[in-house]
Amino acid sequence: MAFRHIVLFGLCAMVPAWAEDTSDQQPRDLFLGEAFYYAQQGLYFDAISRLDAELEQYYRVDERMLDPLHIDSNYAEFSVGDFELSYRMHRKAGRAIQAVLEGDVDQQIKNEAAYRLARIFYEKGEKLNAIHTIDRIEGTVPESVRNDERLLRAQIYTVNGRFSEAIDILEKLEKEPGYEGFAGYNRGIALILSGEEKKGLAQLDKTGQIQVSKKDEPSLGIRDKANLVLGYRLLEAEQPEEAKQYLDRVRLEGPFSNKALLGSGWSDVAAQRFDRALVPWTILFKRNPTNKAVQESLLGVPYAYANLEMHGRAALLYGSALDAFSVEKTRLNDSIESIRNGNFFKAMVREEIKLDSNWLIRLRELPETPETFYLMDLMASNDFQVLLKNYLDLEDMRRRMIAWVDNLDAYEDMIEMRRRYYEPLLPGIDARFRELDSRILLRMEQRDSIKSRLERLLVAPQPEMLVTADERIVSMQLDQLEEQYRNDDTPSGEEARRRIARLRGVLRWDVSLDYQDRLTEAFEHLQELEADVQRMETIYASYVRTRQAATQSYQGYEDQIVRARAKIDRANKTVAHLMNGVGHMLEKLAINELQQRRDRIDQYQIQARFAMAESYDRAVKAQQDAAQQKMMKAIEANKETDTSSDEPSEAEAEEQTDEKPVDVEGEAQ
């Protein structure tokens, strides 16, 4: 049976595949199936440990063809590397897959191994090793990874500067269902990098308009990314009109929506359409203030109002931005302090994180405490994400070792209970065993003696050896009578001796006549004795096994437990050391990122303060100009209407000197 191979982000259902294959009656290895059972649940540590143990036992077997694992041993070797790759053991996984490439295995398995090893190198940024590995693929690639291999090959060719080959591969892959967006986006990037800017932008434009299902989140995401990249590239080229139409294609609720809304606003600003810039920025303005694009929009919205000569509103919004930045800065300071106090790792290792197979989703449900408030933003960094996963894996190992130590304590208790139970019983059992042993030895000696005699009778017949007990008694009686009449010379004595001789002859005749039958019967009795001896030997062996099992259930474990404890202790120290190192790196990454955010907030605050002051100045100046103009108009009106008197009336004077209060937006109250 051919196994279904593992796709890009997970493992196939191996056990159901076995169940479907009813035509092949050869036994399958259940331990291999158990390893895949754990792997399908994302428990790669358990899968690796079980498969490693099974392979180690398999290679210690003398006749491997009798082990069910020999049917799928090559795939088991490959799966070890695959599990290790899924568990992020990149170096060890690379060695395991390299061994498959150099081994005597099917070419399709080699091709899949080369694909996975090339992906390792590509993800680690080793582009030369990646291209050398991907070029080792020859012949047919397994159907389950064929398109993924073509996409990876094109990506590797792109980073190595082989743009024309990458473009050709992606052009063909673009026709495959489900790969239109990924192939189209990568083709557009390859065209731009190769110098064909116009064709690359056209390709990104095409990718940004692909029709996909609303449930196909990866394709929707790559479509948004194509539009976002195209829009910002046109913004950099000072083509805001063209950039806006692509930025407006990005979904409002997608992962790239914030950056697209920000760019859409700046494209309107570049075109001096400040009122239209307010549309996307107002949407962005109301979103989570921890996002960088949202923070920039807090300054962008009042900037647009200021350019629309609405200085009062701009000043108020700058004030609101300052308040938001102040709250954000307080949160940043609290988060930095909380992380330095170690609260971040306490939150990360809580048991409820494990309730979901995708623990990253569970992180969103953590309370917005200082140590986790910026967690999802920090997860955008690949380095932080990898380190955090490693830390959680190390924490899982630490807990496992604690459980292993507890298990060893439980084993010691069980061993001690067995010792207290069996040791008082063994002396009495040993006494009975010695009695049984002596009886067995006696019966075996008797059997051997009889068997040797019967074998001699087959070669040299001796009828007297097969007389019955009655015949032996009769013979003894005849011997006594013969001795009685030996010296009797009377006629009666002679007659007695003659009769005795005739009876002895009859006895010999009967024995000689029945010799073969008696010999056959003797061998039959020997077989019965043999069966009895075998039964006693079975009892003896059963006793030996039982006694050994009893003693071995509590003897000989001390050294193994001591070695296991020492091994766990060394591993625990190593894990603790690694956790300290990884934790320190995580804290450093998180604090550096948060400090950069705080520095950016400081810059935003400075800009907001100056902008707010300027807006207030302009608003006040606008108020004063408006009041002065109104006063001048009132004075001129009074001069035109007052033709009879040099001084205005009391009511008119009051009207001229009454300055109405004005708000910061320049409107009369």
Side-chain angles (χ1 to χ4, degrees):
M1 179 193 67
F3 282 94
R4 297 169 57 194
H5 295 287
I6 304 168
V7 295
L8 180 60
F9 294 111
L11 293 161
C12 63
M14 296 296 298
V15 175
W18 290 356
E20 293 171 2
D21 186 10
T22 57
S23 60
D24 189 355
Q25 298 301 323
Q26 299 185 56
R28 298 292 180 180
D29 190 82
L30 296 179
F31 294 99
L32 179 61
E34 183 187 26
F36 276 95
Y37 169 76
Y38 284 107
Q40 287 175 328
Q41 301 179 75
L43 303 175
Y44 293 108
F45 182 88
D46 299 282
I48 293 168
S49 60
R50 281 161 173 76
L51 195 50
D52 272 342
E54 178 64 6
L55 285 170
E56 182 181 358
Q57 180 178 347
Y58 170 72
Y59 287 123
R60 292 169 59 186
V61 174
D62 294 332
E63 299 182 22
R64 295 177 185 171
M65 295 300 292
L66 300 179
D67 193 319
L69 186 61
H70 85 276
I71 304 172
D72 306 302
S73 59
N74 290 332
Y75 193 81
E77 286 283 2
F78 171 75
S79 298
V80 170
D82 204 11
F83 294 162
E84 290 168 345
L85 177 59
S86 300
Y87 197 56
R88 300 182 307 285
M89 299 169 63
H90 289 174
R91 293 183 180 178
K92 191 173 181 181
R95 292 194 295 269
I97 295 178
Q98 187 71 36
V100 173
L101 289 175
E102 297 172 356
D104 183 17
V105 297
D106 183 75
Q107 186 60 40
Q108 285 202 25
I109 295 180
K110 283 188 175 183
N111 289 340
E112 185 170 356
Y115 157 72
R116 298 193 181 282
L117 186 57
R119 175 166 288 279
I120 294 174
F121 289 134
Y122 177 72
E123 291 175 348
K124 294 170 65 177
E126 301 179 17
K127 58 182 183 180
L128 292 180
N129 288 333
I131 199 168
H132 291 155
T133 305
I134 203 73
D135 285 341
R136 296 182 65 171
I137 296 179
E138 300 176 355
T140 305
V141 178
E143 182 67 28
S144 59
V145 297
R146 184 172 301 166
N147 290 330
D148 292 330
E149 183 271 336
R150 293 164 66 188
L151 180 60
L152 177 64
R153 183 185 292 271
Q155 291 171 331
I156 293 174
Y157 284 169
T158 299
V159 298
N160 282 276
R162 295 165 59 173
F163 302 115
S164 59
E165 296 173 83
I167 292 169
D168 291 340
I169 294 173
L170 293 168
E171 185 177 4
K172 297 175 182 177
L173 185 61
E174 198 174 357
K175 300 175 183 178
E176 295 291 335
Y179 288 83
E180 304 93 337
F182 298 97
Y185 175 80
N186 283 278
R187 184 174 174 228
I189 298 299
L191 285 167
I192 293 173
L193 293 175
S194 66
E196 300 184 61
E197 179 88 10
K198 188 174 181 180
K199 288 185 178 179
L201 296 179
Q203 179 62 42
L204 290 177
D205 183 17
K206 178 182 176 182
T207 304
Q209 300 183 71
I210 58 173
Q211 299 297 321
V212 296
S213 171
K214 293 183 179 180
K215 297 181 180 180
D216 189 358
E217 190 63 32
S219 296
L220 291 171
I222 202 68
R223 186 179 69 182
D224 289 345
K225 188 174 183 180
N227 287 315
L228 184 68
V229 171
L230 185 56
Y232 270 88
R233 194 167 187 86
L234 291 172
L235 269 179
E236 293 172 0
E238 297 182 356
Q239 300 178 38
E241 294 289 346
E242 293 81 358
K244 183 172 177 59
Q245 62 176 330
Y246 298 114
L247 293 170
D248 288 345
R249 289 179 185 173
V250 180
R251 293 173 299 159
L252 289 177
E253 300 300 330
F256 305 102
S257 60
N258 289 346
K259 196 170 182 180
L261 288 169
L262 182 64
S264 178
W266 283 122
S267 64
D268 286 322
V269 169
Q272 300 297 309
R273 296 192 299 266
F274 299 103
D275 55 339
R276 296 184 63 179
L278 287 172
V279 176
W281 280 352
T282 302
I283 298 174
L284 188 59
F285 186 87
K286 301 175 182 178
R287 296 192 174 183
N288 188 348
T290 62
N291 186 270
K292 297 177 182 178
V294 176
Q295 292 171 359
E296 190 171 341
S297 73
L298 294 176
L299 296 177
V301 171
Y303 173 78
Y305 277 115
N307 281 276
L308 292 172
E309 301 296 331
M310 301 177 65
H311 301 293
R313 182 143 183 91
L316 290 175
L317 290 174
Y318 277 126
S320 299
L322 281 172
D323 293 339
F325 292 150
S326 178
V327 172
E328 187 71 5
K329 190 173 180 179
T330 301
R331 285 176 174 174
L332 286 166
N333 290 329
D334 291 343
S335 295
I336 292 172
E337 185 64 26
S338 180
I339 291 173
R340 284 175 175 165
N341 293 334
N343 296 329
F344 174 74
F345 299 112
K346 293 178 182 178
M348 288 300 94
V349 299
R350 293 188 302 187
E351 284 296 328
E352 55 263 33
I353 294 295
K354 300 181 180 180
L355 297 179
D356 198 303
S357 59
N358 189 351
W359 61 271
L360 290 176
I361 296 176
R362 297 293 303 172
L363 294 179
R364 296 180 183 272
E365 300 179 7
L366 290 175
E368 291 185 350
T369 54
E371 61 271 9
T372 60
F373 191 84
Y374 294 94
L375 181 60
M376 294 309 300
D377 294 326
L378 293 171
M379 292 299 293
S381 168
N382 183 66
D383 293 338
F384 185 88
Q385 190 172 145
V386 171
L387 284 173
L388 182 56
K389 289 180 179 179
N390 290 339
Y391 185 88
L392 293 177
D393 287 339
L394 289 170
E395 172 63 19
D396 180 64
M397 291 183 186
R398 187 188 68 82
R399 291 182 177 179
R400 285 176 182 271
M401 286 186 287
I402 293 175
W404 292 343
V405 172
D406 293 339
N407 291 340
L408 289 177
D409 293 337
Y411 291 152
E412 287 181 329
D413 292 341
M414 284 189 347
I415 291 168
E416 182 59 28
M417 290 175 63
R418 289 174 178 175
R419 177 181 288 107
R420 290 199 300 266
Y421 176 77
Y422 284 115
E423 282 188 343
L425 300 177
L426 289 179
I429 295 175
D430 288 341
R432 294 179 59 187
F433 167 72
R434 287 191 292 270
E435 179 183 352
L436 176 63
D437 187 46
S438 62
R439 291 170 59 188
I440 291 175
L441 290 175
L442 177 62
R443 293 296 180 265
M444 291 178 69
E445 290 176 359
Q446 292 175 346
R447 179 201 62 184
D448 294 340
S449 176
I450 294 172
K451 184 177 181 180
S452 62
R453 290 182 182 181
L454 291 177
E455 288 175 350
R456 288 197 300 270
L457 292 178
L458 288 173
V459 180
Q462 295 179 331
E464 66 276 5
M465 298 295 295
L466 298 179
V467 296
T468 63
D470 293 338
E471 290 171 340
R472 195 174 297 278
I473 293 173
V474 171
S475 178
M476 293 173 61
Q477 291 176 348
L478 291 176
D479 290 339
Q480 293 176 358
L481 291 174
E482 188 176 34
E483 183 64 28
Q484 180 180 350
Y485 291 102
R486 182 182 299 277
N487 298 321
D488 188 355
D489 294 332
T490 62
S492 60
E494 291 179 0
E495 180 65 19
R497 286 195 295 272
R498 185 180 64 80
R499 289 184 178 184
I500 290 171
R502 190 172 71 175
L503 289 173
R504 192 178 295 278
V506 172
L507 185 61
R508 290 195 187 98
W509 171 261
D510 291 340
V511 173
S512 299
L513 184 64
D514 299 336
Y515 179 76
Q516 295 298 329
D517 294 337
R518 294 187 181 199
L519 186 61
T520 301
E521 186 178 359
F523 272 104
E524 291 176 354
H525 290 309
L526 179 63
Q527 292 297 327
E528 294 176 358
L529 179 59
E530 190 78 31
D532 291 338
V533 171
Q534 289 181 356
R535 183 175 60 82
M536 296 177 73
E537 288 179 344
T538 301
I539 295 173
Y540 177 84
S542 175
Y543 169 79
V544 171
R545 287 194 302 270
T546 303
R547 193 185 190 288
Q548 287 178 347
T551 55
Q552 290 175 0
S553 66
Y554 64 86
Q555 290 181 355
Y557 292 96
E558 291 80 2
D559 293 340
Q560 297 182 35
I561 291 177
V562 169
R563 288 195 297 269
R565 284 187 184 278
K567 195 172 182 179
I568 292 173
D569 184 62
R570 290 194 300 270
N572 202 4
K573 291 179 180 178
T574 302
V575 168
H577 176 71
L578 291 173
M579 287 184 72
N580 289 334
V582 174
H584 178 71
M585 294 174 65
L586 272 173
E587 288 180 344
K588 189 174 181 180
L589 277 175
I591 290 173
N592 287 342
E593 172 65 21
L594 296 180
Q595 285 177 340
Q596 290 177 9
R597 284 173 170 265
R598 186 174 61 185
D599 294 340
R600 187 173 59 254
I601 292 296
D602 289 338
Q603 295 297 324
Y604 286 164
Q605 284 180 319
I606 293 172
Q607 295 177 23
R609 288 192 183 100
F610 279 107
M612 183 176 67
E614 183 180 0
S615 295
Y616 270 119
D617 289 342
R618 291 186 177 183
V620 171
K621 188 176 182 303
Q623 291 175 356
Q624 292 174 349
D625 292 344
Q628 186 175 3
Q629 290 177 5
K630 186 177 291 187
M631 184 179 294
M632 293 298 295
K633 288 180 180 179
I635 292 173
E636 291 176 0
N638 289 335
K639 285 181 178 181
E640 291 176 358
T641 57
D642 188 10
T643 57
S644 61
S645 176
D646 293 334
E647 294 183 0
S649 64
E650 184 178 348
E652 291 175 345
E654 183 179 354
E655 182 179 355
Q656 292 176 7
T657 57
D658 185 14
E659 294 185 359
K660 296 182 179 179
V662 192
D663 69 353
V664 292
E665 297 182 21
E667 298 174 355
Q669 294 182 346

